[in-house]
Amino acid sequence: MNHESLARGVPRAVPGAVVALSLSGKLVLGPAEGRTIRFGRNRPAVEVCVGETDLQVSRTHGTLTHLDGQWWVRNTGRLPIRLPRTRLLFRDEDPVPLQEGYTPLFVRGSRDREHLLEMYVVGWNGGQPAAQHDAETQPRKRWHLSPEEQLVLVVLGQRYLLHESNPQPISRQHAAEILADLQPEVNWRAKRVEHVVAEVRARLSARGVHGLVRDEVGEPVGNALTDNLLRELVLSTTLVPTDLVMLDTLPG
């Protein structure tokens, strides 16, 4: 199951335009001085709805405004908005400029839940890479995962998809407990999680990805093999933040 994500790029658009994507919809808006996008829980009153069923998300939780050639995000809600590198943007703080390209915003909600709002500011080339007519053709970098492999790796690598600072994979045992909650009909155990991860590591290692076998990382190994695997999957956009919706069926 693959979910649309701006992390994989955007169609050609006007330079300086912003693309906003949540689970509830997508908006593309060109640059114009003073132009503002509102986002929050109250679908009739905002341009981008996020956290629609979560009463901890403010009805208008924030705004995105185009000023002096840049898009600026401001928090108008009660709970903070988390930006990459775990930076928190609180209500009434100075707005933060968005850089060209992709920026995920995480809107805090109830029970430590975070609702993803993806932003993409289109650069001078209109959102598309420059033409390279004579360059050697390169294979697609995204890797194929089975539905079971994707679910296991999203659970194991959720901290990477949340763009935490210096993320680490959760333990196999913890992953098995989450998977058992998601799929109570399946006999999830730590050994089964390890088997799925080992299969993916072996397959990608055979396809030339470095750092997925013990001989390539040295001792002590620790979490290095799984960390390298998850970083490869995120950097290649095989796993993207919108895949976290797979965890939304967890109880409480």
Side-chain angles (χ1 to χ4, degrees):
M1 174 167 49
N2 287 316
H3 304 280
E4 182 182 9
S5 174
L6 303 185
R8 295 178 176 136
V10 298
R12 183 169 293 279
V14 176
V18 68
V19 185
L21 177 68
S22 72
L23 291 178
S24 300
K26 181 179 181 180
L27 176 69
V28 181
L29 200 63
E33 187 70 10
R35 181 167 283 175
T36 296
I37 299 170
R38 297 163 298 176
F39 58 88
R41 174 170 50 87
N42 188 4
R43 183 187 290 267
V46 297
E47 285 71 41
V48 181
C49 182
V50 59
E52 187 171 19
T53 62
D54 192 333
L55 293 178
Q56 292 294 309
V57 176
S58 296
R59 285 167 288 187
T60 300
H61 204 100
T63 61
L64 190 68
T65 303
H66 191 267
L67 294 171
D68 299 324
Q70 281 191 294
W71 290 97
W72 300 76
V73 60
R74 179 186 295 275
N75 186 353
T76 61
R78 295 194 176 193
L79 293 179
I81 298 170
R82 188 167 62 81
L83 285 75
R85 302 184 186 88
T86 65
R87 176 175 179 178
L88 295 178
L89 179 62
F90 291 89
R91 184 175 188 171
D92 296 329
E93 281 191 322
D94 290 340
V96 174
L98 294 183
Q99 303 301 313
E100 286 187 4
Y102 176 72
T103 302
L105 306 178
F106 297 94
V107 179
R108 290 294 177 98
S110 58
R111 300 189 301 275
D112 294 325
R113 187 180 178 192
E114 293 187 317
H115 303 272
L116 174 65
L117 176 59
E118 295 185 291
M119 297 288 188
Y120 195 104
V121 177
V122 178
W124 65 271
N125 59 5
Q128 297 294 320
Q132 300 184 55
H133 302 127
D134 297 326
E136 183 178 346
T137 301
Q138 296 181 352
R140 290 184 61 167
K141 192 178 181 181
R142 285 167 57 190
W143 304 100
H144 172 74
L145 299 176
S146 71
E148 180 182 76
E149 290 170 344
Q150 184 184 21
L151 177 61
V152 168
L153 289 160
V154 167
V155 169
L156 203 64
Q158 57 192 275
R159 294 169 179 163
Y160 298 76
L161 296 175
L162 287 166
H163 286 262
E164 292 187 3
S165 180
N166 301 315
Q168 288 292 310
I170 67 173
S171 71
R172 302 292 195 269
Q173 182 59 43
H174 189 192
E177 292 168 359
I178 294 174
L179 288 161
D181 285 335
L182 289 168
Q183 296 181 331
E185 74 282 3
V186 178
N187 184 27
W188 281 108
R189 295 289 186 270
K191 286 186 177 180
R192 180 169 182 170
V193 173
E194 177 56 40
H195 175 74
V196 171
V197 174
E199 287 283 328
V200 177
R201 283 199 293 105
R203 190 166 72 243
L204 269 60
S205 178
R207 304 281 285 275
V209 179
H210 182 78
L212 301 185
V213 295
R214 183 177 294 268
D215 292 344
E216 295 174 341
V217 300
E219 300 291 344
V221 175
N223 283 331
L225 300 180
T226 305
D227 177 67
N228 289 340
L229 173 63
L230 290 168
R231 291 183 186 278
E232 167 63 24
L233 294 175
V234 172
L235 288 173
S236 65
T237 69
T238 303
L239 299 181
V240 293
T242 48
D243 290 331
L244 290 166
V245 72
M246 302 171 75
L247 308 184
D248 282 353
T249 57
L250 279 172

